[in-house]
Amino acid sequence: MSEKFKVLVVASWGDPRRWDEVSYRLPVESLEHPGLRKVLGEGARELECSSRSSTVSLLCLLSSSGLEVHGIVFGLDTVASASSQNIRNDAFNVYDNSLEEFVKGSTCCEEIKEEIKKKKWIDVVVTPGVGTYGGLSYRGSPTHIFTQAFMKIYKRLASDDHAFLVVDITHGINYQTTAVLYAAMTSAIVAGKERNLVIFNSEPPSPSTKPQRTDKSPQPAQLGSVQPDPQAISQQASNPQSLGILDVTLLSNALRFAMAARDILLFRSKSISELSREASVKGSGRVAEALVSLETFTRLLENAAVALTFPGALDENGESLGYSLCSFLESFTSDPCSEIEYPPEKDDVKKVVTYPSPETARVLECILYSVLR
């Protein structure tokens, strides 16, 4: 391959210290995304990797298949020690150290271990926590995670020519996974990459083979504060489970269709035209014919009065109409799509960790700015 396709792998992680080694399988023939399946090669039947993380498996397997892979791992402040005086730094070290450990122990990363060590491959981003862990109440929200993740993912997509955006939702906490997945899908849409979005989730492990805790005390709220039985981990590592990494990309197609339907209501023809071409290829003649008629009708409507939107357009009294989108772009002195940080502030007396308010307005401005530009 003369020029490598670029892939951005995004993942949400809970507490990586609790994960066991698994033999992850990626059957190429079962991939729902035809583009990625074609790039990986029609001759490849199944990729496999023993690792404690599906994300690391994906990164290394895709790279070993000849792709240029970059990654972003989103973690949570809640993995930090409750006694820590620097919650964010403590949490970052948990993820950074775990990532290094997983890469070192994975069977599919041999050829690229040195590249990953250079820190050019994978970014670790720690986001606000939600809920009570280790006696600390974290006052973050899914909106904090979404806004921070969106800005990070979009900046990477916009700055680099990634052929695919891969999202691994295997390891995250429920609210965190939802926020990161929404952020990834929104980023893909704004960057015009929604057709190249691939979503993975691994099969669930069998409960009967999970390491058993030796103590019978109630499990504390602090994630990762209980260490698994070393003997059980050793037995698990010698004979790891085999789990398939499932391609659930088709779930996002409903969103794409809904966007096209929205465009019909707004009299925009581009999505209708794309649907029309796909319907023709799939042989749905009646649907294709209806879409062609609708596309023609929409094109006539959307171009009828386009001159009124030009800069300098005036009404009959010579007054500016103000419909030009350029004025919106000119109102920004800098790109509004800069990354967002929410530094935690710990109150040892009240046992709470608070964050600045989520910057939803900046995300909306970034989306509008990017689309209009």
Side-chain angles (χ1 to χ4, degrees), residues 55-187:
T55 309
V56 170
S57 294
L58 280 171
L59 284 163
C60 294
L61 288 175
L62 293 175
S63 177
S64 65
S65 299
L67 304 177
E68 182 179 335
V69 184
H70 305 272
I72 307 175
V73 169
F74 291 98
L76 294 165
D77 281 329
T78 52
V79 300
S81 169
S83 60
S84 174
Q85 295 305 307
N86 192 329
I87 293 288
R88 182 59 51 82
N89 188 65
D90 192 359
F92 177 87
N93 287 334
V94 168
Y95 290 107
D96 197 48
N97 294 336
S98 296
L99 183 60
E100 183 176 348
E101 181 182 340
F102 294 166
V103 171
K104 185 183 299 183
S106 296
T107 60
C108 54
C109 296
E110 291 300 326
E111 298 178 1
I112 53 176
K113 284 181 179 177
E114 292 303 317
E115 295 182 41
I116 297 177
K117 284 181 181 179
K118 296 175 184 177
K119 302 294 183 182
K120 294 181 179 179
W121 254 51
I122 310 169
D123 292 336
V124 174
V125 179
V126 182
T127 67
V130 182
T132 301
Y133 296 87
L136 285 178
S137 177
Y138 292 83
R139 302 291 177 84
S141 69
T143 306
H144 281 96
I145 300 172
F146 170 83
T147 52
Q148 188 172 352
F150 167 80
M151 288 297 202
K152 181 69 177 182
I153 298 170
Y154 175 70
K155 288 292 287 186
R156 290 297 299 271
L157 284 180
S159 60
D160 296 319
D161 186 22
H162 290 96
F164 300 98
L165 172 60
V166 172
V167 186
D168 180 21
I169 57 175
T170 297
H171 294 301
I173 309 298
N174 50 13
Y175 63 86
Q176 175 206 25
T177 299
T178 303
V180 171
L181 180 57
Y182 268 89
M185 295 175 74
T186 306
S187 300

Side-chain angles (χ1 to χ4, degrees), residues 197-247:
L197 177 67
V198 189
I199 307 171
F200 287 110
N201 189 13
S202 70
E203 297 172 353
S206 171
S208 60
T209 56
K210 279 190 173 182
Q212 300 297 315
R213 294 176 61 224
T214 54
D215 64 290
K216 302 300 181 182
S217 58
Q219 186 171 349
Q222 169 65 35
L223 286 176
S225 58
V226 176
Q227 297 298 321
D229 179 10
Q231 183 178 359
I233 290 180
S234 177
Q235 294 173 353
Q236 176 77 359
S238 62
N239 188 27
Q241 292 187 72
S242 179
L243 300 182
I245 301 177
L246 308 176
D247 184 349

Side-chain angles (χ1 to χ4, degrees), residues 262-269 272 297-299 301-302:
R262 177 207 59 193
D263 283 355
I264 292 173
L265 295 176
L266 296 177
F267 300 113
R268 289 203 299 261
S269 63
I272 306 170
F297 175 78
T298 305
R299 284 187 183 277
L301 281 177
E302 68 183 353

Side-chain angles (χ1 to χ4, degrees), residues 336-366:
C337 298
S338 57
E339 294 179 18
I340 295 176
E341 292 288 342
Y342 297 112
E345 185 172 334
K346 181 184 177 186
D347 188 325
D348 287 314
V349 176
K350 296 181 178 179
K351 300 295 183 183
V352 299
V353 178
T354 56
Y355 304 91
S357 299
E359 299 185 58
T360 53
R362 273 187 58 194
V363 170
L364 298 180
E365 287 182 350
C366 171

